[in-house]
Amino acid sequence: MSTGRRRALVAAAGVVVVVTAVSAALARGGSGGTSTSATDAGPWIERAIKPAGPATPVDPERWTGPQGRTGQFVVGCDYSHSGSNDPIVHFGMAGMSHRHDFYGSVSTDEDSTPEKMAKGDTTCDKKVDDAAYWQPTLYDHDEVVEPMDLHAYYRAAPGVDPQDVEPFPFGLALIAGDMTATTPQAGDATGWTCGSRTDLHDDPPTCTPSAPLHLVLTFQDCWDGQYLDSADHRSHVAYSKGGECPTTHPVHIPQLTTSIRFPIWNGGHDLKLASGNIYSAHGDFLNAWDPAGLKREIDGCIKRGVVCDLASNREEEDLFASGPLPTKAEAEAADEANGSKADRAN
Amino acid sequence: MHTRTWRLLGAAAAFVALTTAAVGCGSDGNSSASSSTTKAESGGDGGSTITVPGDYKTIQEAVDAAKKGDLVLISEGTYKEAVDVTTPDITIRGVDRNKVILDGGFELENGIRVLDTDGVTVQNMTAKNYVSNGFFWTGSDRYHGSYLTAYRNGDYGIYAFDAYHGQLDHSLGSGSPDAGFYIGECYECDAVIDTVVSEHNGLGYSGTNSGGELYIINSTFRYNRAGVVPNSGSYELCYPGRSNTIVGNTVYDNNNDDAPAIDVALLAQGNGILIAGSINNTIERNLVYDHDRTGIAAVPFPEEDASDVVPPASELKTPCEETKDDELPAEGDVPDIVMWNATGNSIVGNDVSGSGLADLASGTIALDDKSATTADLDNCFSDNVFTSSAPADLEGLAPCEGEGNGGDFEKDGLDLLVLINEQAPAPPKDTYKSTPEPGTQENMPNAKTAPAPIFQGPEKPDVDAIKVPTKPSN
């Protein structure tokens, strides 16, 4: 545990601290109250997080269809490791969380700070991306499903003027989706699909080896310009509507969509998440990008409106590793056995 | 919903996967010089020369400081930079192609990346060890790459995306898991690849959803996993790939088990010119030999998680830009598998030999009674030198002029379903980091003194003058 270190830091900042889950989340700090200064990796300064606010809409307007409709950069990150830790929701408390699968920063654990992550290695192809991405572990018939990889798409949300997009502040925490949901979540923040399709489903559809199951999460693209986190981990950010950010969250940041690929295809699965049933799908992002590298990609790709990277199903590997393809008859039989997806999901 | 009866097909979801391959290993990479046609004007109002590291320590600083018409002239040395170019109408040139080295150290992403910026010429230098690409133009018109060496880069060697009016010539792309040379998402592209060498890559040339006044000529594709592979799919925009002109190339021994590879390179392995779902292409007077699978083949790309269906022929002339925001069909209205058939291709006057399965081939996979069969593809074959075809007697069945002989298109046809499972094993992801060092490459003439006109676009090549190449002596 890092309690000692955290106390010292807090004391230095002259802030009374109560060691609770909420105050633990306080420990992620930035140095400034504006988007500009917050993008600098400032000193480790304690700062109150935003109190929980009223419920905000959780329905992003997002890009669908073939890739490349707008300026973007894409980061591909291999699966790194798993653990029952969560540096956003349960900072400093090892083992307090449900099990997560981590991508990006190779060291993500309960004590992760953006500063520490930025100094370490990453599983992402862009080496300036030391951010952490994670989602609750997927189980199939109570067995852990090790994910294959994650792709992170960074774009201006539909309708947003790309020139208005500013970099995420260093240390910004985002959560897409509702981990407490037990019934289908409203909106498109989270959903399941096959391969590179962009239609989302509440229940995992039956996929195929060349277009396996993906969990797609779309994060908030409007920031309040002040807080890196909030008590409910949501109130400091919001989704844009019709290209506009609400006045309470006036700062446009890139719309991050992550797509996580699982080696799940054909029928016969019994899927659930470490956070609950399949409807509890959610994911987290803790920004530790190298600020100069992030600005370079936003300026060069999003603001100039060009496609700097694509991630298509052309990258799939080892899809035959699990054995020969099923015959048509076998595939149909598997579908029969699969039955209603909604039934299975509970 | 989502009942997929033909999932066995989609698993392979790509190209012909025929027998696995023997090793091919390359040596020199010298491009044989031939005249490259460049329509050029002398520089506009700028025209001064900025030196690196004389005037500026880094290439990036020099490029940022340059004005229209300027020449950024780089001295010998190793530059650990990833240069983003946003200054239009400039030339970036090395004084010696083999001694001006941009080195990404397997950390940096692109050697030179031109972003939404027109008229940028890059000449006479080497980019190696980049995680993504050696030289990359995106969203940029009038692009020109010349006397470039790109090797050991993690995606593509020399890469143009959503870019128009371009020319890549006298260059080498080597040791990338995707393509050594790639031009994608453009119609009409108005682009020329002339007198290049592409070797030790997953794919020698690849272009997804590109074509229209796109010429690949007088070039060598060898020791890749697969040679020249124009292709289509609705996972990216501007589908299908169409109207490429591939003439006078030397394509041999693309069976390389030691080359790095993305997944589709494994499926395409062992084929010389593989038209994978691209349509209305002209493939003439190429010399193609020694492939484990096919010399020249037209095959489908079965797309399983497609976003859209194949557009009707009436939309094929529509510029890419005008189709980007087309409304897509609802998920339920897209078939489980969208079959991008390779149709309307004209394969004429090629010299094809030494193919393990067939020198010439045309095929598809019929999903149901309504699907196109090989007879429906409208690919034509005439005046080729060859000894085997699939189906048998392809030139008799589907000549480019006159009627076919009415024979059986199913006789000795390609059985794509059977072949699809037999692909080479995937190499480790970092295979690209240890591909062969290219030999010394030809320098551009008078690099230190040659003028640097603003590139105005490629001149249409005189394709009719191109003859079938003679076999190299090595």
Side-chain angles (χ1 to χ4, degrees):
Chain A
M1 294 276 291
S2 66
T3 327
R5 175 171 172 272
R6 205 165 48 73
R7 279 212 189 92
L9 287 164
V10 168
V15 177
V16 179
V17 98
V18 183
V19 182
T20 66
V22 171
S23 71
L26 291 175
R28 275 182 317 284
S31 58
T34 71
S35 61
T36 306
S37 57
T39 56
D40 301 326
W44 184 248
I45 294 176
E46 192 59 39
R47 190 178 61 177
I49 59 171
K50 187 171 194 166
T56 52
V58 291
D59 187 9
E61 293 173 0
R62 60 190 187 93
W63 293 98
T64 56
Q67 293 176 54
R69 286 170 183 260
T70 190
Q72 61 191 279
F73 57 98
V74 183
V75 186
C77 307
D78 288 337
Y79 162 69
S80 173
H81 63 285
S82 299
S84 296
N85 302 312
D86 188 329
I88 292 179
V89 178
H90 297 290
F91 184 83
M93 294 183 280
M96 274 292 288
S97 169
H98 49 247
R99 190 179 193 270
H100 285 124
D101 301 330
F102 296 102
Y103 314 79
S105 170
V106 298
S107 61
T108 311
D109 61 16
E110 72 283 359
D111 290 331
S112 289
T113 63
E115 285 78 4
K116 277 201 276 184
M117 288 154 51
K119 289 187 186 121
D121 204 355
T122 176
T123 66
C124 299
D125 52 10
K126 289 188 194 295
K127 298 303 173 194
V128 286
D129 182 4
D130 289 312
Y133 307 82
W134 66 92
Q135 105 287 331
T137 296
L138 182 67
Y139 291 86
D140 183 12
H141 294 290
D142 295 323
E143 296 283 324
V144 165
V145 178
E146 183 171 301
M148 301 167 82
D149 54 21
L150 171 148
H151 282 95
Y153 300 80
Y154 292 84
R155 300 174 278 220
V160 169
D161 182 348
Q163 304 309 319
D164 291 341
V165 174
E166 298 192 28
F168 303 106
F170 190 79
L172 183 72
L174 298 175
I175 298 179
D178 179 1
M179 73 185 80
T180 67
T182 56
T183 55
Q185 298 181 35
D188 262 2
T190 177
W192 304 89
T193 195
C194 297
S196 59
R197 283 202 67 95
T198 54
D199 314 80
L200 299 184
H201 302 261
D202 294 326
D203 294 285
T206 302
C207 299
T208 60
S210 72
L213 183 65
H214 285 67
L215 172 61
V216 179
L217 300 155
T218 298
F219 293 81
Q220 300 89 343
D221 63 304
C222 300
W223 177 47
D224 70 2
Q226 278 195 293
Y227 294 96
L228 299 179
D229 198 356
S230 40
D232 59 3
H233 310 295
R234 281 172 178 74
S235 297
H236 61 304
V237 286
Y239 289 101
S240 64
K241 289 291 164 204
E244 301 292 329
C245 280
T247 54
T248 51
H249 299 81
V251 181
H252 287 279
I253 52 178
Q255 184 183 60
L256 167 64
T257 295
T258 59
S259 183
I260 300 166
R261 180 162 55 130
F262 295 97
I264 295 287
W265 48 77
N266 299 341
H269 301 290
D270 180 14
L271 301 175
K272 64 181 181 185
L273 291 162
S275 47
N277 74 20
I278 208 73
Y279 303 126
S280 68
H282 66 281
D284 298 50
F285 168 72
L286 183 51
N287 178 35
W289 271 78
D290 168 61
L294 179 62
K295 184 174 190 308
R296 174 184 165 119
E297 294 303 291
I298 290 172
D299 287 350
C301 309
I302 292 179
K303 295 198 176 189
R304 296 193 75 86
V306 296
V307 175
C308 285
D309 311 274
L310 287 170
S312 67
N313 52 4
R314 293 156 52 82
E315 291 293 337
E316 289 170 9
E317 292 172 9
D318 295 332
L319 293 179
F320 302 94
S322 59
L325 295 174
T327 65
K328 183 179 173 184
E330 285 167 348
E332 283 173 345
D335 271 345
E336 298 278 323
N338 185 9
S340 155
K341 294 184 297 295
D343 291 346
R344 277 192 303 110
N346 295 301
Chain B
M1 47 174 294
H2 260 80
T3 306
R4 296 178 183 265
T5 50
W6 278 90
R7 62 174 45 84
L8 72 168
L9 235 193
F15 308 134
V16 193
L18 308 182
T19 44
T20 45
V23 181
C25 251
S27 48
D28 74 305
N30 279 322
S31 33
S32 60
S34 81
S35 68
S36 104
T37 48
T38 302
K39 185 168 55 189
E41 286 176 8
S42 55
D45 45 3
S48 56
T49 298
I50 300 171
T51 60
V52 180
D55 296 326
Y56 292 92
K57 276 203 178 115
T58 65
I59 304 168
Q60 183 69 63
E61 289 172 291
V63 163
D64 289 345
K67 302 275 186 296
K68 179 178 179 178
D70 283 354
L71 167 65
V72 172
L73 190 62
I74 307 166
S75 295
E76 293 176 8
T78 298
Y79 298 83
K80 295 178 178 175
E81 286 192 61
V83 181
D84 276 355
V85 183
T86 55
T87 308
D89 297 318
I90 61 170
T91 296
I92 306 166
R93 182 190 297 164
V95 297
D96 186 317
R97 177 177 176 182
N98 302 295
K99 293 177 181 168
V100 175
I101 313 274
L102 281 72
D103 188 340
F106 303 118
E107 286 282 327
L108 304 176
E109 287 146 39
N110 300 280
I112 291 192
R113 182 171 69 166
V114 182
L115 300 155
D116 177 37
T117 299
D118 302 342
V120 175
T121 292
V122 185
Q123 291 171 326
N124 214 44
M125 66 184 78
T126 294
K128 66 175 185 180
N129 305 347
Y130 285 89
V131 174
S132 295
N133 312 297
F135 301 96
F136 177 25
W137 287 260
T138 178
S140 302
D141 288 356
R142 294 184 290 111
Y143 62 94
H144 186 199
S146 190
Y147 295 94
L148 299 176
T149 301
Y151 73 101
R152 293 184 180 165
N153 297 303
D155 287 333
Y156 302 96
I158 302 180
Y159 177 28
F161 182 85
D162 182 28
Y164 293 82
H165 314 301
Q167 178 168 308
L168 306 173
D169 61 78
H170 299 89
S171 293
L172 172 72
S174 176
S176 284
D178 206 309
F181 291 81
Y182 183 101
I183 294 177
E185 197 186 288
C186 48
Y187 186 89
E188 287 182 329
C189 303
D190 185 26
V192 177
I193 292 178
D194 188 359
T195 318
V196 305
V197 176
S198 188
E199 59 188 16
H200 305 297
N201 302 290
L203 304 165
Y205 169 83
S206 168
T208 301
N209 302 343
S210 51
E213 298 297 316
L214 199 171
Y215 298 87
I216 301 168
I217 55 176
N218 304 324
S219 294
T220 298
F221 300 89
R222 62 185 180 191
Y223 318 139
N224 304 289
R225 289 202 181 238
V228 179
V229 190
N231 56 83
S232 299
S234 70
Y235 52 89
E236 291 171 17
L237 295 165
C238 304
Y239 37 86
R242 54 202 191 269
S243 304
N244 296 284
T245 303
I246 302 168
V247 176
N249 300 289
T250 304
V251 182
Y252 64 97
D253 202 3
N254 293 288
N255 314 294
N256 188 351
D257 266 332
D258 291 338
I262 58 164
D263 190 52
V264 295
L266 303 172
L267 287 158
Q269 183 164 328
N271 296 284
I273 299 176
L274 189 68
I275 310 300
S278 186
I279 68 173
N280 298 345
N281 299 292
T282 301
I283 297 118
E284 292 187 10
R285 285 162 278 145
N286 299 285
L287 176 67
V288 183
Y289 57 95
D290 292 352
H291 292 99
D292 288 350
R293 301 176 186 178
T294 68
I296 302 176
V299 299
F301 172 74
E303 188 180 20
E304 200 175 23
D305 51 347
S307 293
D308 202 352
V309 298
V310 179
S314 59
E315 291 179 14
L316 293 178
K317 297 283 183 195
T318 309
C320 178
E321 203 56 41
E322 292 173 24
T323 65
K324 281 185 175 179
D325 295 320
D326 282 358
E327 202 153 313
L328 295 168
E331 185 178 17
D333 294 337
V334 179
D336 286 351
I337 295 171
V338 171
M339 191 64 66
W340 297 90
N341 274 315
T343 65
N345 296 293
S346 173
I347 293 100
V348 177
N350 301 281
D351 185 334
V352 191
S353 61
S355 310
L357 196 88
D359 289 334
L360 303 176
S362 175
T364 185
I365 304 160
L367 295 178
D368 56 38
D369 294 346
K370 282 174 266 176
S371 299
T373 65
T374 301
D376 301 323
L377 295 179
D378 197 28
N379 296 314
C380 77
F381 297 79
S382 286
D383 302 327
N384 298 288
V385 176
F386 71 106
T387 55
S388 59
S389 72
D393 190 24
L394 198 43
E395 290 205 337
L397 292 168
C400 291
E401 288 185 16
E403 293 291 307
N405 60 17
D408 183 4
F409 275 89
E410 303 305 313
K411 184 171 185 291
D412 300 326
L414 283 178
D415 190 340
L416 297 169
L417 278 184
V418 169
L419 299 172
I420 243 158
N421 267 333
E422 298 177 21
Q423 59 173 309
K429 259 188 174 176
D430 60 358
T431 298
Y432 78 92
K433 297 178 179 176
S434 54
T435 51
E437 287 272 353
T440 300
Q441 302 294 307
E442 178 192 1
N443 265 288
M444 76 173 282
N446 307 314
K448 290 179 184 172
T449 55
I454 295 170
F455 186 70
Q456 301 297 332
E459 216 163 74
K460 189 168 180 167
D462 182 4
V463 170
D464 290 345
I466 298 173
K467 294 185 168 52
V468 179
T470 53
K471 213 168 193 173
S473 54
N474 66 335

